[in-house]
Amino acid sequence: MAFLIPSREARPGDDPIFALNAEARARAQGGEHVINATVGSLLDDDGKLATLDSVVQAVREVPAEIAAGYAPIAGSAEFVRGVVRDLLGDRPEAKLTAAVATPGGTGALRHAIANFLEPGQGLLTSSFYWGPYKTLADENDRELATFKMFGEDGMLNTAAFRGSLEKQLKGQGRSLVFLNSPCHNPTGYSFTGDEWRKVREIVEELSPIGPITLCLDVAYVRFGAQSLDVMLDELLQLPPRALLTFAWSASKSFLQYGLRVGALVAVQPDDDDRRRIQSSLTYSCRGVWSNVNAGGMAAIARVLTDSDRRASVDRERKEHVQLLASRVARFNDLASAAGLHYPRYDGGFFTTVFSKDAFGAAEKLKAAGIFVVPQAGPDGALRIALCSVADKDISRLVEGLTKVLQP
Ligand SMILES: Cc1ncc(COP(=O)(O)O)c(C=O)c1O
């Protein structure tokens, strides 16, 4: 008997990245020295999950009666204030925000899709994108459209962005755009100040056609080579012509993937609009997950708002950022010398090497004990999670890639 509704009949139960990771771990447990460059968690050079001591301590110190209790539906006030401050500091726009706590950045992206697009409409993002964007769109009965991410010059293809945004606005009357920078997943690309300026100009130019919501996925912001100000200085000029939202996550910034703490923050100067957005987002929280992990929010609120804690976390994080930056530098040296074709890699958890036959190449690499994530499409590519590759393995990784991609 068909209990599942037709649209759910053929859902794949396995997340491809988690499935590849499981396979790599099984082979490693069998004694093989595999390079597992599949999963986006930062591992130290001994393969251990990297954490921040001051954050771990803050989690341990949460009083039992707070951790065990229900949190407010929109998130605890201290946490939400801390996130807004983390994003916007003392800028005047910090006072013009609607914001809710969400389970990770994923929850924030979900709320953006459900609140700023009608069912059946499509969100717009770059042709390389984090796979769950599509899952989130599917799950919420929305579509996903892309613009070609890179031009011939290897820079952000703002002309393609403009064309796709205009087409979508004319076709569906509104747009929601997901942009992930710095340290874009999967390519490692960070938009330059000039690229943000062009994005702003395009959104400004097209905004009379219909409402545009920009959702800035800043999950990797603490690992970027540039500060968030590069983006903010341009994009904060947009409201009220466009709605500016941020999908904020503690998963990478505080190395707490399992805590499931994040937030959606919207900047809207109009008081009535802002109040309506706040109500709608809060309603979504109640209707999807009720409230976010109370202990997690309390711990992250503490590290965001207590200046001593915050300073220790920044100090501890710096070591991890440096570890990753030195892997990135090593990869760039070896991969560019080997002639591998990949976008400018400025830092962050991932990079992507172009490959016409990504799935074939990933299979060959797997046979050689190197696990990477193939990406389909005309811009076929292999995503490499350098965050989980030990420094000593980078030369074997690049050799393997070179052999398979440039035999
Ligand atoms: C591009 C991007 N956005 C958002 C997230 C959100 O992660 P989480 O829900 O764990 O905060 C991730 C996690 O891998 C990501 O890679």
mmCIF file of all heavy atoms in Angstrom, residues 104-106 130 180 185 217 219-220 249 251-252 260, ligand 1:
data_model
loop_
_atom_site.group_PDB
_atom_site.id
_atom_site.type_symbol
_atom_site.label_atom_id
_atom_site.label_comp_id
_atom_site.label_asym_id
_atom_site.label_seq_id
_atom_site.Cartn_x
_atom_site.Cartn_y
_atom_site.Cartn_z
ATOM 1 N N GLY A 104 21.199 25.484 14.206
ATOM 2 C CA GLY A 104 22.283 25.644 13.236
ATOM 3 C C GLY A 104 21.905 26.621 12.127
ATOM 4 O O GLY A 104 20.791 27.160 12.088
ATOM 5 N N GLY A 105 22.871 26.816 11.239
ATOM 6 C CA GLY A 105 22.613 27.642 10.065
ATOM 7 C C GLY A 105 21.545 26.991 9.190
ATOM 8 O O GLY A 105 20.800 27.671 8.485
ATOM 9 N N THR A 106 21.468 25.673 9.240
ATOM 10 C CA THR A 106 20.481 24.945 8.427
ATOM 11 C C THR A 106 19.067 25.435 8.734
ATOM 12 O O THR A 106 18.265 25.666 7.829
ATOM 13 C CB THR A 106 20.594 23.428 8.707
ATOM 14 O OG1 THR A 106 21.941 23.030 8.474
ATOM 15 C CG2 THR A 106 19.670 22.627 7.816
ATOM 16 N N TRP A 130 26.284 24.392 -1.680
ATOM 17 C CA TRP A 130 26.209 23.347 -0.659
ATOM 18 C C TRP A 130 24.955 22.510 -0.918
ATOM 19 O O TRP A 130 23.844 23.059 -0.948
ATOM 20 C CB TRP A 130 26.156 24.019 0.717
ATOM 21 C CG TRP A 130 26.180 23.097 1.893
ATOM 22 C CD1 TRP A 130 27.006 22.023 2.080
ATOM 23 C CD2 TRP A 130 25.356 23.177 3.060
ATOM 24 N NE1 TRP A 130 26.746 21.442 3.294
ATOM 25 C CE2 TRP A 130 25.741 22.118 3.915
ATOM 26 C CE3 TRP A 130 24.333 24.036 3.469
ATOM 27 C CZ2 TRP A 130 25.140 21.900 5.147
ATOM 28 C CZ3 TRP A 130 23.739 23.830 4.698
ATOM 29 C CH2 TRP A 130 24.137 22.769 5.533
ATOM 30 N N ASN A 180 26.959 32.477 -0.253
ATOM 31 C CA ASN A 180 27.788 31.898 0.798
ATOM 32 C C ASN A 180 29.241 32.362 0.622
ATOM 33 O O ASN A 180 29.924 31.916 -0.280
ATOM 34 C CB ASN A 180 27.664 30.363 0.709
ATOM 35 C CG ASN A 180 28.601 29.618 1.633
ATOM 36 O OD1 ASN A 180 29.101 28.550 1.290
ATOM 37 N ND2 ASN A 180 28.853 30.160 2.808
ATOM 38 N N ASN A 185 31.364 27.174 0.422
ATOM 39 C CA ASN A 185 31.323 25.716 0.359
ATOM 40 C C ASN A 185 30.556 25.355 -0.905
ATOM 41 O O ASN A 185 29.393 25.745 -1.018
ATOM 42 C CB ASN A 185 30.592 25.180 1.608
ATOM 43 C CG ASN A 185 30.453 23.667 1.591
ATOM 44 O OD1 ASN A 185 30.964 23.002 0.705
ATOM 45 N ND2 ASN A 185 29.759 23.123 2.586
ATOM 46 N N ASP A 217 24.859 33.519 3.775
ATOM 47 C CA ASP A 217 25.221 32.341 4.564
ATOM 48 C C ASP A 217 26.666 32.534 5.029
ATOM 49 O O ASP A 217 27.603 32.352 4.254
ATOM 50 C CB ASP A 217 25.063 31.096 3.679
ATOM 51 C CG ASP A 217 25.403 29.817 4.424
ATOM 52 O OD1 ASP A 217 25.945 29.894 5.532
ATOM 53 O OD2 ASP A 217 25.120 28.739 3.864
ATOM 54 N N ALA A 219 28.319 30.960 7.451
ATOM 55 C CA ALA A 219 28.712 29.859 8.344
ATOM 56 C C ALA A 219 30.230 29.827 8.604
ATOM 57 O O ALA A 219 30.666 29.437 9.677
ATOM 58 C CB ALA A 219 28.251 28.527 7.756
ATOM 59 N N TYR A 220 31.031 30.243 7.599
ATOM 60 C CA TYR A 220 32.496 30.090 7.721
ATOM 61 C C TYR A 220 33.206 31.408 8.008
ATOM 62 O O TYR A 220 34.415 31.518 7.819
ATOM 63 C CB TYR A 220 33.048 29.468 6.422
ATOM 64 C CG TYR A 220 32.502 28.075 6.209
ATOM 65 C CD1 TYR A 220 31.364 27.864 5.451
ATOM 66 C CD2 TYR A 220 33.088 26.979 6.826
ATOM 67 C CE1 TYR A 220 30.820 26.599 5.293
ATOM 68 C CE2 TYR A 220 32.562 25.712 6.675
ATOM 69 C CZ TYR A 220 31.432 25.531 5.916
ATOM 70 O OH TYR A 220 30.904 24.269 5.787
ATOM 71 N N SER A 249 25.725 30.723 12.210
ATOM 72 C CA SER A 249 25.863 29.369 12.765
ATOM 73 C C SER A 249 27.001 29.308 13.776
ATOM 74 O O SER A 249 28.071 29.883 13.555
ATOM 75 C CB SER A 249 26.163 28.398 11.620
ATOM 76 O OG SER A 249 26.552 27.154 12.144
ATOM 77 N N SER A 251 28.174 26.358 14.456
ATOM 78 C CA SER A 251 28.792 25.052 14.167
ATOM 79 C C SER A 251 30.278 25.170 13.856
ATOM 80 O O SER A 251 31.094 24.416 14.404
ATOM 81 C CB SER A 251 28.078 24.385 12.989
ATOM 82 O OG SER A 251 26.723 24.216 13.294
ATOM 83 N N LYS A 252 30.636 26.085 12.964
ATOM 84 C CA LYS A 252 32.049 26.213 12.571
ATOM 85 C C LYS A 252 32.741 27.278 13.425
ATOM 86 O O LYS A 252 33.861 27.073 13.883
ATOM 87 C CB LYS A 252 32.188 26.595 11.098
ATOM 88 C CG LYS A 252 31.169 25.984 10.173
ATOM 89 C CD LYS A 252 31.488 24.566 9.768
ATOM 90 C CE LYS A 252 30.241 23.922 9.148
ATOM 91 N NZ LYS A 252 30.436 22.619 8.608
ATOM 92 N N ARG A 260 23.889 22.331 17.656
ATOM 93 C CA ARG A 260 22.755 22.754 16.840
ATOM 94 C C ARG A 260 22.256 24.145 17.239
ATOM 95 O O ARG A 260 21.095 24.321 17.629
ATOM 96 C CB ARG A 260 21.603 21.723 16.868
ATOM 97 C CG ARG A 260 21.995 20.308 16.533
ATOM 98 C CD ARG A 260 22.823 20.168 15.278
ATOM 99 N NE ARG A 260 22.190 20.745 14.095
ATOM 100 C CZ ARG A 260 22.867 21.424 13.172
ATOM 101 N NH1 ARG A 260 24.182 21.607 13.273
ATOM 102 N NH2 ARG A 260 22.249 21.907 12.123
HETATM 103 C C1 LIG B 1 27.565 26.451 3.379
HETATM 104 C C2 LIG B 1 27.002 26.014 4.674
HETATM 105 N N1 LIG B 1 25.997 26.711 5.177
HETATM 106 C C3 LIG B 1 25.434 26.391 6.346
HETATM 107 C C4 LIG B 1 25.871 25.299 7.052
HETATM 108 C C5 LIG B 1 25.122 25.065 8.311
HETATM 109 O O1 LIG B 1 25.551 24.168 9.174
HETATM 110 P P1 LIG B 1 24.856 23.977 10.577
HETATM 111 O O2 LIG B 1 23.417 23.695 10.342
HETATM 112 O O3 LIG B 1 25.601 22.847 11.161
HETATM 113 O O4 LIG B 1 25.043 25.241 11.336
HETATM 114 C C6 LIG B 1 26.923 24.516 6.562
HETATM 115 C C7 LIG B 1 27.412 23.318 7.247
HETATM 116 O O5 LIG B 1 28.127 22.509 6.755
HETATM 117 C C8 LIG B 1 27.496 24.893 5.336
HETATM 118 O O6 LIG B 1 28.511 24.218 4.802
#
